[in-house]
Amino acid sequence: MATQVQFSLHIFSFLIAILLTSSTIAQDQPNIILFLADDVGYGDLSCYGHPSQVPGGIDQLAKDGKRFTAAYVPDPNGVASRGAILTGRLPVRIGLYGLDGEDRHTFTATHSTGLPKTETTIAEALKEHGYATGMVGKWNLGINEETATDGSHLPKNHGFDYVGYNLPLTNSWGCGLRSSDPGGGTNSDNCFLYKNDVIVEQPFDPSGLMTKFLGNAEEFIREHKEEPFFLYFAFSNNHVTLSPSDQFSDTSPLGTYGDSTNEMNSAVTDVMDLLNDLGLRENTLVIFLSDNGPFLEMCSKAGFEGPLKGGKSTVYEGGIRIPFIVSWPGQIPAGSVSRHTVSSMDIFPTILDVIGRALPTGITYDGSSLKSILYEEFLMSEKWGFEIQSQMAPAHPEGLYFYSGEILTAMRFDGYKVHFRLQPQPLTTRVGFGEECTEGAPLMEYYAGCREPTCFTTQQVPTVYLIDADVGEGFRFTNYSEIAVFDPGFECKMMQLNFAHASSIVRGPDLLSSTNQIAELQPCCTLPGCPSASSGVRASIGKPAYVIVCSVAIRL
């Protein structure tokens, strides 16, 4: 009898050990989902104070996790920002800038360059540690290298095993097929949709993109529910052309842009519901952020910068300060808010720190792990009812530096924002753009189209704002003596930080310059049912119909 009891106890202890080990493994290797929004402004979401935007799945992430109020991207342009997120490195180190050409800020359909394969992405690092990796949505980091079909720079060659429907470039102005879409069908060179590395639609119907992306995302999660996975879900719907699906059209008082935000919120909700249904939510770290500020030149079809100045392509706060939310039930305090100054480049090192792995060696990283900040409780003063100053060390004591292409424009350290170069300011507010806009058509790309050095004025004495108190950058210091009254060490510290930063920068080759463009690399969809370059057949998607010759689409 005693032997049977002892045997039973051994079996019970063994089972408990297995359960504890399995729990530890799950905790050490949580699933990771990275949601990246496109041109969504700091003030666009209900949880960031928008008075008219209906709360949705993104706001629920904030309720379940931590919302950051001082999160930044290192460059206010999409390609550079996306490369920085995936690598944890400043875009200028990678070479995500151009020195000539009208498209010096982005990859075009004919660029032979892309995100260098010498760069290590989050996906590649996680694969090394047993993660399944998947990507859907907007890529925007290069297509072909030697032929029009090699797909050398696409996600599958940067660590993503599963690649669903994706936009190698973007959902640009002129891609819409509906009669209500401004400029519809006029930009067919850049309006193509891929599945993995094969072009499947040209032009594509933007109103159907979210359904395709969401279906792929859910498929990937179901396929890998038994193993740790990393999903990169890059939305495109808040970038012009705005074309929400019929289900979400006319659902927002904010017009087409609000409809698009509602559809994005719904997609996040659907993914979270699936995680809950599969019992995966409590073991999934979810991150949401935007790639840059709102595209204000698009007038009523642009996002909202909130209390900030400027938008996309400016280094004012409205261009580089972004919504940033991280959620992990049971690990990150629910409903917490962090005022730490953090960067989108922190995502890479944070993820590896969370799973207990070191960063790849021999690489200079510009991000820092936010693990301790994520787990920090939200502290409130019982007496005064306001947030107690965090005792956590700053994530970036070396300062954060901001570039526009190859141009160093600004930095942030302690409570200061320092502008070394300034863009002109006539149209840095929504009011200014509203006066210039012709409703229904974009204003000339005042900032987004002006990124060369001549667009910036170098400051003999850098312009300084006390940014913690002046987020709208409305009251600048005119000289250092004004700052020295209350911070005598300011100038010395700034110079030391700048010297250290300049000494660390090794610029990559200019990948976005026009000299890297080769006309023969232009993709053209030739699959059955796809418009053909040679025959000019009628497009099989969209109403009204189109004829396409892979250089221009003509409405019939």
Side-chain angles (χ1 to χ4, degrees), residues 218-284:
E218 292 177 336
E219 176 184 62
F220 172 78
I221 291 170
R222 287 192 178 95
E223 287 180 356
H224 298 283
K225 63 183 179 181
E226 302 297 335
E227 59 184 324
F229 63 77
F230 168 58
L231 172 64
Y232 175 41
F233 192 153
F235 298 109
S236 65
N237 54 312
N238 285 68
H239 187 289
V240 292
T241 293
L242 299 176
S243 192
S245 64
D246 291 340
Q247 178 185 350
F248 291 93
S249 293
D250 300 320
T251 60
S252 170
L254 302 174
T256 311
Y257 187 89
D259 295 341
S260 299
T261 304
N262 286 347
E263 187 166 27
M264 179 171 60
N265 259 320
S266 178
V268 171
T269 297
D270 288 347
V271 172
M272 295 302 103
D273 286 347
L274 177 60
L275 293 177
N276 283 318
D277 292 344
L278 297 175
L280 300 176
R281 181 64 185 99
E282 292 193 358
N283 192 43
T284 304

Side-chain angles (χ1 to χ4, degrees), residues 340-409:
H340 282 279
T341 302
V342 301
S343 170
S344 61
M345 296 182 293
D346 297 336
I347 291 173
F348 192 150
T350 298
I351 286 175
L352 288 191
D353 195 11
V354 164
I355 69 170
R357 302 296 191 272
L359 286 167
T361 59
I363 301 172
T364 299
Y365 286 96
D366 298 290
S368 301
S369 173
L370 304 179
K371 180 179 176 181
S372 59
I373 292 174
L374 289 178
Y375 297 160
E376 183 183 27
E377 293 287 345
F378 179 61
L379 303 176
M380 295 292 292
S381 166
E382 293 182 6
K383 181 177 180 181
W384 301 108
F386 55 75
E387 184 180 2
I388 298 174
Q389 180 65 37
S390 170
Q391 299 304 306
M392 205 69 66
H396 292 278
E398 77 286 2
L400 284 179
Y401 287 82
F402 307 106
Y403 286 76
S404 181
E406 81 281 16
I407 308 167
L408 175 61
T409 57

Side-chain angles (χ1 to χ4, degrees), residues 59 85 108 123 168 335 427 434 451 478 512 518 520:
D59 305 279
I85 291 168
T108 68
L427 298 179
R451 297 174 175 88
T478 57
L512 303 181
I518 302 173
E520 289 75 17

Side-chain angles (χ1 to χ4, degrees), residues 53-69:
Q53 177 58 51
V54 177
I58 301 167
D59 305 279
Q60 189 61 49
L61 290 179
K63 289 182 180 179
D64 295 338
K66 178 159 290 187
R67 178 173 62 88
F68 287 83
T69 63

